Amino acid sequence: MERKVSPFTRKTRKRKAPDDAYLGSAFSLDELNQDLLERVLSWLPPSSFFRLRSVCKRWNSVANSATFQLACSQIPLREPWFLMVDQDLDQSIVFDPAEANWKNLNHPAYLQQRHGCKPIPVASSGGLVCYRTESGNLIVCNPVTGACRELPTVGQSSESQTLHAITMYSSPKDPASYRIVLVSGEFSTLSFRVFDSTKNMWEDEVLLVQKAENSLESNISGDETVYFLSKAGDVIATNMQRCPSKQYSSVLTMDNGEEVVYFLSQSGTVVTCNLSRKTFSEHPRLLPIFTEYSIDVVECKGEMLVVILSEFLETASLRVWKFSKGDRSWRQVAAMPPSMSHEFYGKKVDINCLGCGDMIFICINSGDFSSYVMCNVVANEWKELPKCYVNGKTKEFMSAFSFDSIL
């Protein structure tokens, strides 16, 4: 796979130490005990992980050690990798923000063995990615090591309901511990189920009660669709059509110790499910229903944000919004410079976004257009990522999922 040099790759200067600088202080890493060696190696950059196995037998054993993985998870400020999703689903290509380049991982053998049924990534957390098969089965995979685990079936009662959201949460203290949440049902009778990896089982289904003071405002629920004419004279449906990997896109946050799941309804509004209080409600609509736009929901530093691409006054606008609980209104927190967003005008592009820390990773796609942008929400800085080339051709991706690259 060919690599392009990023325009924002940092250059560093290294000064050569005097020849006698280390006289009398040199020692071998082989002198360290196993625990200390794992702690030292855990500070290596993620891209060095793959070279550990080829150094020596001892370092190869470190790479497979559960205590080494735990040590890596405790390193602060480690940037995650972004697993890219394309239409073929036969490669594992990631973007490394630290080095600003693309990497090709070995596609997990377990996923390759499922002939005629390519699992689609639908959620991620920590060092794990959750895949979903065409039959609805879920597979949790470590993209770096290739280790996979197929989860028990949810049950016939849950499988017969309309699935709205799949989200995942893993424990920072225990990388092997994670929870997967499914939200399903009709808007009058939503419910959720949780898979607990420590118990290897699905917990009982829990019903959600709609909050009376925040009843659904759009009057659109289930499969009901409203059609209208765009400015170009095209028939537009309010029922969103999302790519398979983002069909059940959702985010999970902790609000004063309460688990809250956010996802998009079929009409493009944000639905909130408070799992702790067992309630759900709908946020006010950001744009009028008879408006053509693309929308996605993300999580940044524990907060839910919404990214919207819309067209206004003969140009396109890409903005990030935050919901204010006090007056139940939306407030803009970042906006792409008009010089960058204008090229999306008239191209009928779709956006699929992912939040991580202060950053939002955005995949922008249409039939004849593809771009990937990183946004720093705090600084309101926007950077277009370098193109990914495979066998001399540009690779196009539909969406991305973040994961801790060293676990």
Side-chain angles (χ1 to χ4, degrees):
M1 182 168 57
E2 302 177 8
R3 294 180 179 175
K4 292 291 183 178
V5 178
S6 169
F8 52 90
T9 300
R10 296 179 180 177
K11 295 182 179 181
T12 59
R13 294 182 178 180
K14 296 182 180 180
R15 291 186 300 172
K16 184 177 180 181
D19 293 338
D20 59 348
Y22 302 106
L23 289 178
S25 61
F27 72 97
S28 172
L29 288 178
D30 292 336
E31 299 177 12
L32 300 178
N33 61 44
Q34 188 73 5
D35 180 66
L36 189 55
L37 177 62
E38 290 178 355
R39 289 179 179 271
V40 172
L41 295 181
S42 67
W43 285 90
L44 288 172
S47 57
S48 301
F49 174 83
F50 304 101
R51 296 192 288 270
L52 286 180
R53 303 175 185 275
S54 59
V55 174
C56 62
K57 290 183 178 180
R58 188 185 182 194
W59 285 33
N60 182 52
S61 66
V62 168
N64 296 318
S65 169
T67 54
F68 171 69
Q69 295 178 10
L70 180 60
C72 291
S73 67
Q74 297 172 345
I75 302 300
L77 304 178
R78 191 189 296 282
E79 293 190 80
W81 282 357
F82 296 94
L83 176 66
M84 309 305 297
V85 182
D86 64 358
Q87 294 181 347
D88 297 330
L89 298 173
D90 57 356
Q91 288 181 297
S92 290
I93 298 177
V94 300
F95 180 76
D96 181 358
E99 299 183 1
N101 61 17
W102 303 92
K103 291 179 170 59
N104 192 357
L105 301 183
N106 292 326
H107 202 54
Y110 184 87
L111 300 181
Q112 293 177 343
Q113 294 169 0
R114 301 185 67 89
H115 301 291
C117 180
K118 295 181 179 179
I120 300 173
V122 290
S124 64
S125 181
L128 304 173
V129 177
C130 179
Y131 290 77
R132 187 173 188 267
T133 67
E134 294 179 357
S135 60
N137 294 336
L138 298 178
I139 302 171
V140 175
C141 178
N142 184 318
V144 176
T145 64
C148 294
R149 172 189 182 185
E150 187 162 355
L151 306 188
T153 57
V154 182
Q156 292 183 352
S157 58
S158 298
E159 292 176 354
S160 61
Q161 301 182 45
T162 302
L163 182 61
H164 297 286
I166 302 176
T167 189
M168 185 177 185
Y169 172 78
S170 61
S171 172
K173 298 181 180 180
D174 184 4
S177 175
Y178 57 89
R179 287 157 53 88
I180 295 178
V181 180
L182 307 182
V183 179
S184 57
E186 304 304 324
F187 277 105
S188 57
T189 56
L190 286 181
S191 63
F192 72 92
R193 294 197 69 172
V194 176
F195 176 83
D196 188 338
S197 65
T198 60
K199 302 176 182 177
N200 193 32
M201 63 178 293
W202 291 94
E203 298 176 356
D204 293 336
E205 183 179 20
V206 179
L207 295 178
L208 294 170
V209 179
Q210 183 176 326
K211 294 177 66 174
E213 65 273 20
N214 296 325
S215 58
L216 294 179
E217 304 170 6
S218 64
N219 295 322
I220 296 179
S221 61
D223 296 327
E224 185 178 349
T225 305
V226 173
Y227 298 91
F228 64 95
L229 290 177
S230 67
K231 293 185 298 183
D234 299 326
V235 177
I236 305 298
T238 55
N239 194 339
M240 292 196 312
Q241 300 294 324
R242 310 208 65 184
C243 70
S245 60
K246 286 291 184 177
Q247 185 176 356
Y248 310 110
S249 176
S250 57
V251 298
L252 186 149
T253 67
M254 297 297 295
D255 187 359
N256 295 323
E258 299 177 346
E259 287 185 324
V260 182
V261 173
Y262 300 90
F263 68 91
L264 295 174
S265 70
Q266 288 296 316
S267 63
T269 56
V270 179
V271 178
T272 304
C273 298
N274 190 311
L275 306 187
S276 301
R277 299 190 180 187
K278 302 178 179 60
T279 60
F280 74 95
S281 60
E282 185 179 50
H283 286 347
R285 184 177 294 279
L286 256 164
L287 295 177
I289 192 170
F290 300 104
T291 305
E292 189 175 0
Y293 61 92
S294 181
I295 182 173
D296 206 357
V297 59
V298 299
E299 178 268 331
C300 289
K301 284 197 169 180
E303 289 189 315
M304 183 273 297
L305 300 176
V306 166
V307 184
I308 286 188
L309 175 63
S310 60
E311 295 186 357
F312 183 69
L313 296 178
E314 307 303 323
T315 190
S317 172
L318 184 59
R319 301 172 185 268
V320 182
W321 300 81
K322 177 182 176 180
F323 186 71
S324 174
K325 295 182 180 179
D327 55 4
R328 288 187 55 80
S329 64
W330 293 96
R331 298 179 181 177
Q332 179 180 305
V333 295
M336 177 181 281
S339 58
M340 293 181 64
S341 60
H342 180 69
E343 65 175 323
F344 310 143
Y345 179 72
K347 291 185 171 62
K348 300 184 182 300
V349 300
D350 181 40
I351 61 170
N352 291 301
C353 311
L354 175 71
C356 188
D358 293 335
M359 311 300 293
I360 297 180
F361 191 104
I362 308 172
C363 291
I364 306 169
N365 298 277
S366 70
D368 56 355
F369 184 86
S370 180
S371 179
Y372 321 108
V373 176
M374 191 81 77
C375 168
N376 185 312
V377 179
V378 176
N380 193 23
E381 295 178 348
W382 301 74
K383 292 181 179 179
E384 185 174 1
L385 304 185
K387 298 292 185 181
C388 176
Y389 292 89
V390 178
N391 298 326
K393 297 182 179 180
T394 305
K395 192 75 172 178
E396 296 184 358
F397 303 104
M398 298 181 294
S399 61
F401 293 87
S402 67
F403 66 94
D404 293 339
S405 50
I406 199 67
L407 296 178

